[in-house]
Amino acid sequence: MAEKFNHGRSKMISSYGGVGSVIDTPDASIIVETFDNWGYPNYYDQEIKKHIILDDRLINRLRVRFPRLKHLVSIPVEEDGWKTDVQPQANYFPKWFYCPRCKRFMPLKQWKDHWQGRQEFDLQCFNPECKGEHLEQIRFVMTCDDGHIQDLPWEYWNNREAIIEQGNDSGEDNEQESEYKIKLKYEKCCSKQELYYTVSQENTDLSGIHIKCKNCGKSETLKGIFGFSQKCGGRKYWLGFQNGQYIGDSCEQKVAVKVKTSNSIYYANTLSSLWIPEKQILNLSTEARREIDAIVNDEDFEQKDLEKFSRRNGIAMEIINQYLDGTIETYIPDIVYRQAEYDYFLNKQQPEDKAIRFRQINVKGQMYGFEKLVKIDRLKKITVQTSFTRNAPIDTDSILIGDSGYEYQIKRQSVSKNSFETRLLPAIENYGEGILFVLDEQKLKEWEKNDIIIERIKNIQTHAQDSDWQFHKIEAKKLTARKILIHTLSHLLIREFEYFCGYPMSSLQERLYVSENMNGFLISAYDGTDGYLGGLAKLCNNLDKLQNIITNALQRAQNCSLDPICYESEGQGVAQLNLAACHSCTLIPDTSCEMSNLFLDRRLVIDTEFGYFKNM
C-alpha cells in the first residue's frame, strides 16, 4: 500500500531525487511512486488549473518525445497537498526488515501479517519481549542497466555455495567485486524457515553479519555480497500495485548489488527552462486552457464548439489553434534552446512581465576579461522530470532523443505509467535572481589558439574515452577550451560569492551558455516559489566592488591546500576528468553544478603562462 510522506520540493525533482528514487526518512527508506498515483485530476478537469505551471516554450520542446503532453503540473507543497488530496506517494523499499533486539528477519508483508487484528503497524516488532522495538531496514539493493531495482533473494541466502575467485573483500561498503562469487540454490533452507539477522560485535566486516535459520540452523555471512549477481526480476516498485502485485516486466539484464544510499542507484533526467515572455501564449489563461481541453475531449466535440468558445471569451481562433497545435516535430538541442535565453537577456529590453526583471550593463574596459553583465533582479525557472536511469547518467541532449539516436546501453525509465503518451509531467517553478556574466569575445578567441591549452583539452578527452561511462565519452565530444574555462570560472565565483551575497554555496546554481556564439554563464539563486534575498543581483550595483570580489576569487584559486599535486595534476577526480581542480580549490556542491563537478581546470583561468586572466 502506498503511503503519503512528508517531503521537500527539492527531493521531488532534482539531480538526486524524484519518481523512482530511494529516499531516506526518519523511519525507513522509501521509493517515490509515479506522479500518476499522487491524485492529480484529469488534464481537462476543472481542478487541474490549480496545479498547472505555464511554460509553452518548454512544453513545445517536450512534445517531440511526449506528443500528447498538455500540462506541466506542480509538485504539491505539503500543506496544500492535504487540502487537495494531491500528495506524493511512496512505499517502503528495501522490503526486508529486522528487529535489532530479537534479530528476527522478514519481508515487510510478513511483519504486517503478524500485526493484523492488533494495533496499527508502525514498523515495530510484534514480539512482546521487544517492547515495540523499531525495525531496521536492510541496506542492500540490486539494480540493472534497464532501470529496475529489487531486493536480494534473502530467503535463499543461507542455502548456497560460494566459488572462490581472485580479489579481496576490502570493506562492507565496497561495491567492487569481492573474492567470492555466490551461487544460490534458489530454494529455502527448510520448510519452516525462520530467519534471523545477527551482527557480530567483534567483527565489523561483512563476514561478521549472518543470515541464520532458527529452525534448521543453516547460516551464511554477507561476505562476498558485492560479487553476487543474478537475472533481473524486472521490478518497478515506483509504479505501485496492479492486481495485488507490484508492477514489473521481463528483463534479460543482470542485477548487481549496491548499498541503498549509493549515488549510482538513481539519476534523474530533468530539463530546466528560464521564462521568456515572448515565447509564451500569454493571452491564454490556465482556466481557458482547461476549458479548451474539456471541449476537445468531449465525445460529441465539433469544431463549432471551439468557435463558440472563441466568440464568448474574446479569444482569437489563431491563439486557440496555436495552443492545440503547438508541437515541434524535430528535437531542439540543449545548446539551441539555451541560445534563445542568452540572446533574450543580452538583446531585449525589460518586458511588461512580473516574472522577469533585468538590465544589461556594458563593462568592457571596466572589468578585465568581461564584456557584459546582465543584472537579473527577478527570473523564473521551471524544471521538469522526464525519466530516470540507474547505474549511469545520460547527457541532456539524450533525454528527449528517440531510441534510434540513443547512444547508451542503459535504459530510461518513465516517471508515468503512460510513458511517452502521458498528458502530464511533474515540474517545479522557482523565482530567484542572478547575474549573467559574458566574457570578452575577442580576447577569448585569441586565448583559445594557444597550443598548450589545446593539449590540455585533448588530455581530458583521452581520459573520457577510457572511462567506463558512455556519458563521459559523449560529453567529451562537445568539450572545448572555452567550456572548461567558463565552467571553472563559474565554480570559482560561486565559491567566492558565498562570502558576499547572503546565500550558502549550495543555494547558488550555475547555468552555462557556451558555444561558438555564446560565451557566458549565469549564477543564480532561488528561494522556494515566491521569494529571494536580493543579495546576489545587488553585487552589480557597485562594479568596483564586484571586480574586487572576482579578483579575490582568482587569487584564492592560486593557492590550494593540495598544491603542488593538484596544480600539476594530469588527471584527478571521477575518471580523471579534472586537471587542476579538487575539493579544496574548485569543486562545489553537486546541486550547484550542471556537469557533476567534472571537466574543470583552474590553470586555464589563472596560470601565469596561458591562463585567461594571466595579466590581471
Side-chain angles (χ1 to χ4, degrees):
M1 178 181 176
E3 302 287 345
K4 292 182 179 179
F5 65 96
N6 296 333
H7 67 286
R9 285 161 51 90
S10 62
K11 291 182 179 180
M12 293 297 98
I13 294 183
S14 69
S15 58
Y16 57 87
V19 173
S21 64
V22 177
I23 296 177
D24 278 332
T25 72
D27 291 329
S29 294
I30 56 175
I31 189 166
V32 181
E33 291 190 5
T34 170
F35 72 95
D36 300 318
N37 296 348
W38 296 6
Y40 286 108
N42 206 311
Y43 76 96
Y44 56 82
D45 190 283
Q46 184 174 353
E47 293 299 312
I48 194 65
K49 65 181 181 181
K50 299 178 181 178
H51 308 284
I52 293 176
I53 293 176
L54 294 181
D55 192 336
D56 295 306
R57 186 172 80 104
L58 180 55
I59 285 182
N60 285 343
R61 185 188 187 195
L62 291 165
R63 278 179 178 157
V64 70
R65 195 66 172 141
F66 301 90
R68 305 184 72 189
L69 181 66
K70 297 300 296 184
H71 302 301
L72 304 179
V73 289
S74 61
I75 303 296
V77 293
E78 186 179 336
E79 58 270 23
D80 289 342
W82 291 111
K83 293 177 183 177
T84 62
D85 292 326
V86 176
Q87 186 79 6
Q89 305 289 304
N91 59 80
Y92 289 119
F93 185 82
K95 300 295 183 186
W96 281 73
F97 290 78
Y98 65 91
C99 173
R101 183 167 294 190
C102 71
K103 314 302 181 186
R104 196 182 304 270
F105 184 44
M106 295 187 299
L108 183 63
K109 185 178 183 303
Q110 291 185 24
W111 284 107
K112 286 186 174 181
D113 289 343
H114 280 281
W115 277 90
Q116 283 185 357
R118 304 173 66 182
Q119 69 186 73
E120 183 180 354
F121 176 67
D122 192 24
L123 292 182
Q124 293 178 325
C125 184
F126 60 85
N127 187 346
E129 297 179 1
C130 294
K131 299 179 180 179
E133 183 75 20
H134 189 273
L135 301 179
E136 295 289 336
Q137 196 173 30
I138 199 73
R139 58 190 180 91
F140 302 101
V141 300
M142 304 185 80
T143 61
C144 81
D145 286 348
D146 278 3
H148 301 118
I149 191 168
Q150 65 187 59
D151 278 294
L152 280 78
W154 295 113
E155 65 269 40
Y156 309 130
W157 190 259
N158 67 338
N159 196 21
R160 64 175 187 176
E161 55 182 320
I163 303 172
I164 299 178
E165 292 190 340
Q166 291 183 349
N168 57 76
D169 195 346
S170 57
E172 62 179 14
D173 286 335
N174 184 2
E175 295 189 19
Q176 304 300 317
E177 185 175 6
S178 66
E179 67 175 302
Y180 284 100
K181 182 177 180 181
I182 298 170
K183 183 177 180 181
L184 300 179
K185 295 181 181 179
Y186 290 99
E187 57 184 40
K188 293 184 178 181
C189 56
C190 63
S191 60
K192 297 182 179 181
Q193 185 183 70
E194 190 175 342
L195 296 181
Y196 286 77
Y197 184 93
T198 60
V199 181
S200 170
Q201 297 298 317
E202 294 79 20
N203 184 359
T204 58
D205 292 336
L206 289 171
S207 58
I209 302 176
H210 292 258
I211 307 294
K212 182 178 181 179
C213 177
K214 185 177 181 180
N215 183 57
C216 68
K218 204 162 189 178
S219 176
E220 290 289 356
T221 74
L222 298 193
K223 186 173 184 179
I225 190 172
F226 292 115
F228 176 69
S229 183
Q230 66 174 35
K231 183 180 176 181
C232 179
R235 293 295 183 89
K236 296 183 176 182
Y237 288 108
W238 63 93
L239 294 185
F241 280 100
Q242 187 177 60
N243 300 322
Q245 298 290 328
Y246 281 105
I247 295 174
D249 54 23
S250 60
C251 180
E252 298 301 319
Q253 296 281 356
K254 290 282 189 179
V255 282
V257 178
K258 310 273 187 180
V259 177
K260 67 178 182 178
T261 53
S262 170
N263 291 336
S264 65
I265 71 169
Y266 185 82
Y267 297 95
N269 304 153
T270 62
L271 294 172
S272 60
S273 174
L274 298 187
W275 175 262
I276 298 180
E278 66 179 24
K279 301 289 185 178
Q280 313 297 328
I281 310 176
L282 295 176
N283 295 328
L284 209 56
S285 66
T286 56
E287 174 61 27
R289 293 167 193 246
R290 200 279 311 165
E291 286 190 46
I292 293 170
D293 290 336
I295 292 170
V296 174
N297 191 69
D298 192 291
E299 59 182 15
D300 297 324
F301 164 70
E302 295 181 5
Q303 180 63 26
K304 64 180 181 181
D305 297 329
L306 281 179
E307 295 171 355
K308 289 180 181 178
F309 173 83
S310 171
R311 291 193 297 270
R312 186 172 65 251
N313 293 276
I315 301 174
M317 279 301 301
E318 290 81 358
I319 294 177
I320 295 174
N321 291 331
Q322 182 183 356
Y323 169 66
L324 292 175
D325 302 329
T327 58
I328 294 179
E329 296 180 356
T330 58
Y331 174 67
I332 302 175
D334 193 57
I335 200 68
V336 175
Y337 194 77
R338 293 189 183 212
Q339 181 83 50
E341 299 171 1
Y342 185 78
D343 291 343
Y344 183 82
F345 283 115
L346 289 183
N347 302 319
K348 300 295 182 179
Q349 298 301 315
Q350 170 64 44
E352 294 182 3
D353 192 302
K354 295 181 180 180
I356 186 170
R357 188 166 68 248
F358 66 93
R359 67 180 176 90
Q360 299 97 0
I361 306 172
N362 191 337
V363 296
K364 191 168 185 176
Q366 186 174 359
M367 292 182 63
Y368 181 83
F370 294 95
E371 186 172 311
K372 276 188 178 182
L373 299 180
V374 181
K375 179 190 177 187
I376 308 175
D377 293 296
R378 186 172 175 84
L379 76 163
K380 180 167 69 171
K381 183 176 77 169
I382 296 93
T383 303
V384 59
Q385 183 182 9
T386 64
S387 54
F388 63 88
T389 59
R390 303 198 194 277
N391 296 349
I394 64 174
D395 65 290
T396 304
D397 272 334
S398 294
I399 289 176
L400 295 182
I401 290 177
D403 294 338
S404 60
Y406 191 68
E407 300 183 54
Y408 293 88
Q409 295 298 317
I410 56 175
K411 182 179 178 180
R412 293 162 292 189
Q413 287 290 343
S414 177
V415 296
S416 170
K417 294 177 181 178
N418 299 315
S419 191
F420 296 121
E421 297 300 310
T422 183
R423 300 278 191 170
L424 307 174
L425 279 176
I428 54 175
E429 180 181 62
N430 293 106
Y431 289 89
E433 59 173 321
I435 305 174
L436 175 59
F437 294 85
V438 180
L439 272 62
D440 188 322
E441 177 71 17
Q442 183 177 354
K443 175 179 171 58
L444 192 59
K445 287 182 176 179
E446 288 297 320
W447 172 83
E448 289 174 317
K449 298 176 183 178
N450 192 308
D451 290 337
I452 299 177
I453 293 172
I454 294 172
E455 285 301 314
R456 292 183 74 82
I457 305 309
K458 288 182 179 178
N459 186 12
I460 296 179
Q461 289 174 324
T462 299
H463 292 159
Q465 289 303 315
D466 295 335
S467 171
D468 293 333
W469 280 7
Q470 185 70 8
F471 168 73
H472 296 154
K473 298 175 183 179
I474 291 175
E475 286 290 341
K477 291 178 184 177
K478 302 176 284 185
L479 204 59
T480 61
R482 177 181 299 204
K483 189 164 190 174
I484 294 181
L485 167 69
I486 290 175
H487 186 212
T488 307
L489 180 59
S490 170
H491 278 223
L492 298 179
L493 293 190
I494 285 175
R495 291 172 68 96
E496 192 69 21
F497 282 174
E498 182 179 39
Y499 302 112
F500 294 95
C501 69
Y503 294 99
M505 198 188 311
S506 58
S507 293
L508 298 173
Q509 298 179 20
E510 68 178 5
R511 188 168 178 84
L512 305 180
Y513 296 96
V514 186
S515 69
E516 292 182 359
N517 303 315
M518 296 189 291
N519 45 284
F521 61 96
L522 170 68
I523 296 179
S524 55
Y526 304 90
D527 184 23
T529 59
D530 56 358
Y532 46 90
L533 299 177
L536 179 58
K538 286 182 180 178
L539 293 177
C540 295
N541 293 344
N542 188 331
L543 295 183
D544 290 335
K545 181 179 179 181
L546 180 57
Q547 178 67 78
N548 289 335
I549 293 172
I550 294 173
T551 301
N552 290 341
L554 299 178
Q555 291 176 345
R556 201 183 302 272
Q558 294 174 358
N559 299 293
C560 172
S561 60
L562 296 181
D563 282 341
I565 296 174
C566 176
Y567 198 76
E568 301 295 335
S569 173
E570 296 183 357
Q572 59 180 317
V574 176
Q576 296 187 313
L577 296 177
N578 292 330
L579 297 182
C582 70
H583 283 284
S584 297
C585 59
T586 311
L587 272 59
I588 59 177
D590 285 343
T591 53
S592 301
C593 177
E594 284 198 307
M595 302 181 69
S596 304
N597 272 313
L598 303 176
F599 307 113
L600 298 163
D601 181 10
R602 61 190 165 100
R603 290 189 67 177
L604 296 187
V605 182
I606 49 93
D607 191 88
T608 55
E609 181 182 356
F610 55 82
Y612 181 81
F613 290 97
K614 66 179 180 179
N615 296 322
M616 186 170 178

